[in-house]
Coordinates of all heavy atoms in Angstrom, one line a residue:
E290 N -110.6 -36.4 -86.8 CA -111.8 -36.6 -86.1 C -111.7 -36.1 -84.7 O -110.6 -35.9 -84.2 CB -112.1 -38.1 -86.0 CG -112.3 -38.8 -87.3 CD -112.6 -40.3 -87.1 OE1 -113.7 -40.6 -86.5 OE2 -111.9 -41.2 -87.6
D325 N -113.3 -40.8 -91.9 CA -113.4 -41.7 -90.8 C -112.3 -42.7 -90.8 O -112.1 -43.4 -91.8 CB -114.8 -42.5 -90.9 CG -115.0 -43.5 -89.8 OD1 -114.1 -43.7 -89.0 OD2 -116.1 -44.2 -89.8
F326 N -111.4 -42.7 -89.8 CA -110.3 -43.7 -89.7 C -110.4 -44.5 -88.4 O -109.3 -44.9 -87.9 CB -109.0 -43.0 -89.9 CG -108.6 -41.9 -89.0 CD1 -107.8 -42.1 -87.9 CD2 -109.1 -40.6 -89.2 CE1 -107.5 -41.1 -87.0 CE2 -108.8 -39.6 -88.3 CZ -108.0 -39.8 -87.2
G327 N -111.6 -44.6 -87.9 CA -111.8 -45.5 -86.7 C -111.4 -44.9 -85.4 O -111.4 -45.6 -84.4
L328 N -111.3 -43.5 -85.3 CA -110.8 -42.9 -84.1 C -111.9 -43.0 -83.0 O -111.5 -43.1 -81.8 CB -110.4 -41.5 -84.4 CG -109.8 -40.8 -83.2 CD1 -108.3 -41.3 -83.0 CD2 -109.7 -39.3 -83.3
R329 N -113.1 -42.9 -83.3 CA -114.1 -42.8 -82.3 C -114.1 -44.1 -81.4 O -114.1 -44.0 -80.2 CB -115.5 -42.6 -82.9 CG -116.6 -42.4 -81.9 CD -117.9 -42.0 -82.5 NE -118.4 -43.0 -83.5 CZ -119.6 -43.0 -84.0 NH1 -120.4 -42.0 -83.7 NH2 -120.0 -43.9 -84.9
E330 N -114.0 -45.3 -82.1 CA -114.0 -46.5 -81.3 C -112.6 -46.6 -80.6 O -112.5 -47.2 -79.5 CB -114.2 -47.7 -82.2 CG -114.5 -49.0 -81.4 CD -115.0 -50.1 -82.3 OE1 -115.3 -49.9 -83.5 OE2 -115.2 -51.2 -81.8
F331 N -111.5 -46.2 -81.3 CA -110.2 -46.2 -80.7 C -110.2 -45.5 -79.4 O -109.7 -46.0 -78.4 CB -109.2 -45.7 -81.7 CG -107.8 -45.5 -81.1 CD1 -106.9 -46.5 -81.1 CD2 -107.4 -44.3 -80.6 CE1 -105.6 -46.4 -80.5 CE2 -106.2 -44.1 -80.0 CZ -105.3 -45.2 -80.0
C332 N -110.6 -44.2 -79.4 CA -110.6 -43.4 -78.2 C -111.5 -44.0 -77.1 O -111.3 -43.8 -75.9 CB -111.0 -42.0 -78.5 SG -109.7 -41.0 -79.3
S333 N -112.6 -44.7 -77.5 CA -113.5 -45.3 -76.5 C -112.7 -46.4 -75.7 O -113.0 -46.6 -74.5 CB -114.7 -46.0 -77.2 OG -115.5 -45.0 -77.7
N334 N -111.7 -47.0 -76.3 CA -111.0 -48.1 -75.7 C -109.7 -47.8 -75.1 O -109.2 -48.5 -74.3 CB -110.9 -49.3 -76.7 CG -112.2 -49.9 -77.0 OD1 -112.7 -50.7 -76.3 ND2 -112.7 -49.6 -78.2
C335 N -109.1 -46.6 -75.5 CA -107.7 -46.3 -75.1 C -107.6 -45.7 -73.7 O -107.1 -46.3 -72.8 CB -107.1 -45.4 -76.1 SG -105.4 -45.0 -75.7
R336 N -108.1 -44.5 -73.6 CA -108.2 -43.8 -72.3 C -106.8 -43.3 -71.7 O -106.7 -42.9 -70.6 CB -108.9 -44.6 -71.2 CG -110.3 -45.0 -71.5 CD -111.0 -45.7 -70.3 NE -112.3 -46.0 -70.6 CZ -112.7 -47.2 -71.1 NH1 -111.8 -48.1 -71.5 NH2 -114.0 -47.5 -71.3
K351 N -116.4 -44.6 -71.3 CA -116.4 -45.2 -72.7 C -117.2 -44.5 -73.7 O -116.8 -44.3 -74.8 CB -116.8 -46.7 -72.6 CG -116.7 -47.5 -73.9 CD -117.1 -48.9 -73.8 CE -117.0 -49.6 -75.1 NZ -115.6 -49.7 -75.7
W392 N -101.4 -42.6 -80.9 CA -101.5 -42.4 -82.3 C -100.4 -41.6 -82.9 O -100.1 -41.6 -84.0 CB -102.8 -41.6 -82.6 CG -103.4 -42.0 -83.9 CD1 -103.1 -41.4 -85.1 CD2 -104.3 -43.0 -84.3 NE1 -103.7 -42.0 -86.2 CE2 -104.5 -43.0 -85.7 CE3 -105.0 -44.0 -83.5 CZ2 -105.4 -43.9 -86.3 CZ3 -105.8 -44.9 -84.2 CH2 -106.0 -44.8 -85.5
G404 N -100.1 -51.4 -86.1 CA -101.0 -51.1 -85.0 C -102.0 -50.1 -85.3 O -103.2 -50.2 -85.0
V405 N -101.6 -49.0 -86.0 CA -102.5 -48.0 -86.4 C -103.5 -48.5 -87.5 O -104.7 -48.2 -87.4 CB -101.8 -46.8 -87.0 CG1 -102.7 -45.8 -87.7 CG2 -101.1 -46.0 -85.8
Y406 N -103.0 -49.3 -88.4 CA -103.9 -49.9 -89.4 C -105.0 -50.8 -88.7 O -106.2 -50.7 -89.0 CB -103.1 -50.8 -90.4 CG -103.9 -51.5 -91.4 CD1 -104.4 -50.8 -92.5 CD2 -104.3 -52.8 -91.3 CE1 -105.1 -51.4 -93.5 CE2 -105.0 -53.5 -92.2 CZ -105.5 -52.8 -93.3 OH -106.2 -53.4 -94.2
A407 N -104.6 -51.6 -87.8 CA -105.5 -52.5 -87.1 C -106.5 -51.6 -86.3 O -107.7 -51.9 -86.3 CB -104.8 -53.4 -86.1
A408 N -106.1 -50.6 -85.6 CA -107.0 -49.8 -84.9 C -107.9 -49.0 -85.7 O -109.1 -48.8 -85.4 CB -106.1 -48.8 -84.0
S409 N -107.5 -48.6 -86.9 CA -108.4 -47.8 -87.8 C -109.4 -48.7 -88.5 O -110.5 -48.3 -88.9 CB -107.6 -47.0 -88.8 OG -106.8 -47.9 -89.7
K410 N -109.0 -50.0 -88.7 CA -110.0 -50.9 -89.3 C -110.9 -51.5 -88.3 O -112.1 -51.8 -88.6 CB -109.2 -52.1 -89.9 CG -108.4 -51.7 -91.2 CD -109.3 -51.4 -92.3 CE -109.9 -52.6 -93.0 NZ -110.7 -52.3 -94.2
A411 N -110.5 -51.7 -87.0 CA -111.3 -52.2 -86.0 C -111.0 -51.5 -84.7 O -109.9 -51.9 -84.1 CB -111.2 -53.8 -85.9
G412 N -111.8 -50.6 -84.3 CA -111.4 -49.7 -83.2 C -111.1 -50.4 -81.9 O -110.3 -49.9 -81.1
F413 N -111.6 -51.6 -81.7 CA -111.3 -52.3 -80.4 C -109.8 -52.6 -80.3 O -109.3 -52.9 -79.3 CB -112.2 -53.6 -80.3 CG -111.9 -54.6 -81.4 CD1 -110.8 -55.5 -81.3 CD2 -112.7 -54.7 -82.5 CE1 -110.5 -56.4 -82.3 CE2 -112.4 -55.6 -83.5 CZ -111.4 -56.5 -83.4
A414 N -109.1 -52.6 -81.5 CA -107.7 -52.9 -81.5 C -106.9 -51.8 -80.9 O -105.7 -51.9 -80.6 CB -107.2 -53.2 -82.9
G415 N -107.6 -50.7 -80.6 CA -107.0 -49.5 -79.9 C -106.4 -49.9 -78.6 O -105.3 -49.4 -78.2
S416 N -107.1 -50.8 -77.9 CA -106.5 -51.2 -76.6 C -105.3 -52.0 -76.8 O -104.3 -51.9 -76.0 CB -107.6 -52.1 -75.8 OG -108.0 -53.2 -76.6
L417 N -105.2 -52.8 -77.9 CA -104.0 -53.5 -78.2 C -102.8 -52.6 -78.5 O -101.7 -52.7 -78.1 CB -104.2 -54.5 -79.4 CG -103.0 -55.2 -79.9 CD1 -102.4 -56.1 -78.8 CD2 -103.4 -56.1 -81.1
L418 N -103.1 -51.6 -79.4 CA -102.1 -50.6 -79.7 C -101.6 -49.9 -78.5 O -100.4 -49.6 -78.3 CB -102.7 -49.6 -80.7 CG -101.8 -48.4 -81.1 CD1 -100.5 -49.0 -81.8 CD2 -102.5 -47.5 -82.1
R419 N -102.5 -49.6 -77.6 CA -102.1 -48.9 -76.3 C -101.2 -49.8 -75.5 O -100.2 -49.4 -74.9 CB -103.4 -48.5 -75.5 CG -103.0 -47.9 -74.2 CD -103.9 -48.5 -73.1 NE -103.3 -48.3 -71.8 CZ -103.7 -47.3 -71.0 NH1 -104.7 -46.5 -71.3 NH2 -103.1 -47.1 -69.8

Side-chain angles (χ1 to χ4, degrees):
E290 297 183 61
D325 180 357
F326 56 99
L328 188 72
R329 186 171 58 171
E330 193 169 354
F331 172 84
C332 282
S333 291
N334 290 286
C335 178
R336 302 185 179 89
K351 181 179 179 64
W392 209 273
V405 166
Y406 177 80
S409 63
K410 290 291 285 185
F413 64 82
S416 57
L417 174 62
L418 178 59
R419 178 230 162 96

